[in-house]
Amino acid sequence: MPRTPEPATPPPTSLDARGERRAELMLEAAVAEFSAKGWRNARLGDIVARSGGSMATLYRAFGNKQGLAHALISREADLLVAGLLPLGNDATPPARALAEAADGVIDVLLKPETLLINRIAIADGRDVPEIRDMFFAQTVAPAQDILCRYLQRQHAAGRLHAPHPAHAARMFFMGLVGETLIRCISGIDETPDPDRTRQAAHAALAIMLDGFRLRER
């Protein structure tokens, strides 16, 4: 049965310092409500009540429920780019830079709100394609582009053998977070174990750096 679309609301507007604090509380309340009830069942009224704010402030700050998700995606995008900063220093040995970047990606992934927005964008992407598309455009694509350009530079400098940097970038991220996200989104393991996740990520990175090499018997 098709979902009833949300009513249109005014676009978000700028807020004063007090409004910004209220908006931050609303984001925290949205994370709690989306986590407890899921995207479809969460209600703006409950988010407002949990935050102690007003519906007028929510409309001014975010526009509607989708605007809350957009704000969470934007925050994840900023964190992910910050986590990939080690790739901006070409003087760092590639193995170390990539390991530090892997840790940065995992630090972001393990945040409850990151796992939440991944669930919304992927599990509910068919119903809310604008959130899905924003998620891929603002988080996945820029992160892969940063890694792709890094691999291109390292390949050109002869420090890494990466003749297909775009494919390698996708493999890097899927190797780091693919299984963790699948287990989380499917409900098998909604709270990933940090140590196990990091160990798996570094094992995947080691395989990527070494490559599968055919060895003569």
Side-chain angles (χ1 to χ4, degrees):
M1 182 176 182
R3 295 180 64 214
T4 302
E6 282 192 20
T9 55
T13 59
S14 59
L15 301 170
D16 58 18
R18 184 171 179 272
E20 291 288 349
R21 289 193 294 273
R22 285 291 187 189
E24 183 63 30
L25 290 174
M26 285 179 177
L27 275 182
E28 294 176 5
V31 170
E33 287 292 315
F34 293 161
S35 297
K37 301 174 183 176
W39 164 261
R40 294 179 179 85
N41 297 323
R43 297 179 178 275
L44 289 181
D46 294 336
I47 293 171
V48 168
R50 184 186 284 265
S51 71
S54 68
M55 192 69 75
T57 299
L58 188 148
Y59 284 156
R60 285 199 302 273
F62 304 106
N64 55 17
K65 188 165 69 171
Q66 292 175 3
L68 287 162
H70 289 174
L72 291 172
I73 290 171
S74 294
R75 187 155 64 181
E76 179 184 344
D78 291 341
L79 291 172
L80 192 54
V81 169
L84 293 171
L85 283 177
L87 301 183
N89 184 0
D90 288 345
T92 304
R96 177 182 162 192
L98 288 167
E100 291 176 356
D103 284 332
V105 170
I106 296 303
D107 285 342
V108 177
L109 173 69
L110 291 174
K111 292 180 178 297
E113 66 183 57
T114 301
L115 293 170
L116 169 67
I117 204 63
N118 275 268
R119 283 199 298 270
I120 293 173
I122 298 173
D124 295 324
R126 186 185 297 272
D127 292 331
V128 281
E130 59 272 30
I131 292 178
R132 176 201 63 204
D133 294 345
M134 183 183 184
F135 171 78
F136 279 94
Q138 290 200 9
T139 62
V140 177
Q144 290 184 348
D145 184 60
I146 290 171
L147 180 60
C148 180
R149 286 186 280 111
Y150 173 79
L151 294 174
Q152 285 176 326
R153 297 195 306 272
Q154 298 302 309
H155 180 76
R159 289 187 286 265
L160 284 176
H161 181 66
H164 306 290
H167 292 293
R170 289 192 289 270
M171 290 174 62
F172 175 86
F173 284 103
M174 288 305 296
L176 293 186
V177 305
E179 182 179 4
T180 298
L181 285 179
I182 290 171
R183 293 178 65 86
C184 176
I185 293 169
S186 66
I188 295 174
D189 186 7
E190 294 189 5
T191 306
D193 178 79
D195 290 337
R196 187 175 65 189
T197 301
R198 291 184 192 283
Q199 289 172 3
H202 281 274
L205 175 59
I207 291 170
M208 191 184 82
L209 288 173
D210 185 56
F212 288 117
R213 299 175 183 172
L214 291 175
R215 291 176 169 83
E216 297 293 337
R217 294 195 176 189

